Amino acid sequence: MPGRLVFHANREGRHRLYTLDLTTGVVGQLTSGVNYHDEDAVVSPDGTRVAFTTTRFDSRTWDIAVIDTKSGDVRRVTTHLAFDREAAWSPDGLSLLFSSDREGTQAVFRMSLDTAAIVRVSPPPERALMPAASPDGRSVAYTMGTPDGFRLVVQNLSTGVVRTLTNLGDAAEPQWSPDGSQLAYTRLSPSGSLIEIVTLATGAVWPLAVEGLLDAREPAWSPDGEWIAVAGSVVPADDEDWDLVALRIDPPAAFRLTGGAADDRAPSWIPR
């Protein structure tokens, strides 16, 4: 399968960002360092930058940073003492969505990369995290914390109207299909999480379950919409070893992309 991924792993102790060429299997290192963590990479729509979460600027907290994939230059994007995490690009690459507890409870914010202006997106007082911008830029999907667990919602960015997509169990880590018609997400379970897909027009949900894959999280659609890369484990939850796995949607099948003792997590596709 062609393509490339960015992911984070603890291959050298603390978490760093890596790239994986799916044609050759070659793994390259994108960030380096000793005394901090780099996690949760997400590639910009044009493939030239990667936003990620890091402790490199202040060990007391997490910030959002952006690295240029060619020069390796790293730009600090957020500077608040709050935990700023889970960045997601707008389709035009001009702003980032992210979750932060800077107002107390976790909420979704949007930051302009040109002006550094930050505005809150998710309505108070509900907890909101793990945002993902729709391909047309009109909506944002995120996980909402409720008394009954995590729910998957979609918010219209113009009107502020919030639509709940899931009502049973814990749903997290939404990711849009390239055409914007579906969302893949993680159905959380202590006995082993799995990936589900919901069609927005109908609300129909189906699991992307593959025999032998006991836990799957952090879905990422391929640019052609035919694959979903995940962090997966083939061992029980109490002794998980995370590797990158490619899930074919139709017909369902799983292909292991990485191996070894390290935990490889949070894949993001590099656009072709």
Side-chain angles (χ1 to χ4, degrees):
M1 119 196 20
R4 292 185 298 154
L5 296 170
V6 175
F7 63 100
H8 77 248
N10 57 352
R11 296 180 173 221
E12 297 181 358
R14 301 202 177 199
H15 288 150
R16 299 287 173 266
L17 304 188
Y18 296 86
T19 60
L20 171 64
D21 188 308
L22 299 179
T23 301
T24 64
V26 173
V27 173
Q29 191 163 347
L30 186 60
T31 64
S32 59
V34 177
N35 298 318
Y36 50 82
H37 291 283
D38 297 332
E39 298 182 354
D40 298 332
V42 58
V43 184
S44 65
D46 64 3
T48 64
R49 295 166 292 168
V50 174
F52 62 100
T53 303
T54 182
T55 61
R56 64 173 60 207
F57 305 113
D58 189 335
S59 61
R60 299 170 296 172
T61 190
W62 293 89
D63 291 299
I64 305 297
V66 172
I67 183 172
D68 185 289
T69 56
K70 290 187 177 181
S71 69
D73 293 338
V74 175
R75 170 190 172 189
R76 185 178 185 178
V77 174
T78 63
T79 59
H80 202 282
L81 279 177
F83 280 20
D84 298 333
R85 306 201 57 160
E86 302 162 343
W89 291 92
S90 62
D92 59 12
L94 298 179
S95 62
L96 287 171
L97 294 161
F98 63 96
S99 67
S100 176
D101 60 359
R102 59 182 56 209
E103 293 184 1
T105 303
Q106 279 179 299
V108 173
F109 295 83
R110 178 170 54 188
M111 179 178 186
S112 167
L113 294 176
D114 290 333
T115 67
I118 296 176
V119 296
R120 178 167 176 155
V121 173
S122 61
E126 287 82 2
R127 181 184 179 197
L129 60 161
M130 306 174 189
S134 63
D136 63 9
R138 297 178 181 178
S139 302
V140 56
Y142 54 86
T143 299
M144 178 180 287
T146 74
D148 298 319
F150 288 130
R151 300 292 181 260
L152 187 66
V153 305
V154 172
Q155 179 178 334
N156 185 295
L157 290 174
S158 297
T159 66
V161 173
V162 176
R163 173 189 173 192
T164 302
L165 298 178
T166 60
N167 289 304
L168 299 175
D170 286 326
E173 302 166 340
Q175 290 294 319
W176 295 85
S177 62
D179 65 3
S181 66
Q182 297 174 318
L183 282 165
Y185 60 94
T186 302
R187 173 67 67 183
L188 298 172
S189 171
S191 60
S193 300
L194 59 86
I195 304 303
E196 292 183 340
I197 297 175
V198 58
T199 300
L200 273 71
T202 64
V205 175
W206 74 93
L208 192 58
V210 178
E211 185 177 356
L213 188 62
L214 301 184
D215 210 337
R217 303 185 184 189
E218 301 160 351
W221 291 84
S222 63
D224 61 11
E226 296 181 2
W227 300 84
I228 294 178
V230 301
S233 179
V234 297
V235 296
D238 291 340
D239 191 29
E240 287 172 329
D241 176 21
W242 296 96
D243 295 307
L244 299 187
V245 177
L247 300 180
R248 188 175 61 200
I249 298 174
D250 188 22
F255 299 86
R256 188 173 176 177
L257 302 176
T258 62
D263 288 331
D264 300 331
R265 303 293 303 260
S268 177
W269 293 81
I270 300 175
R272 297 175 184 172

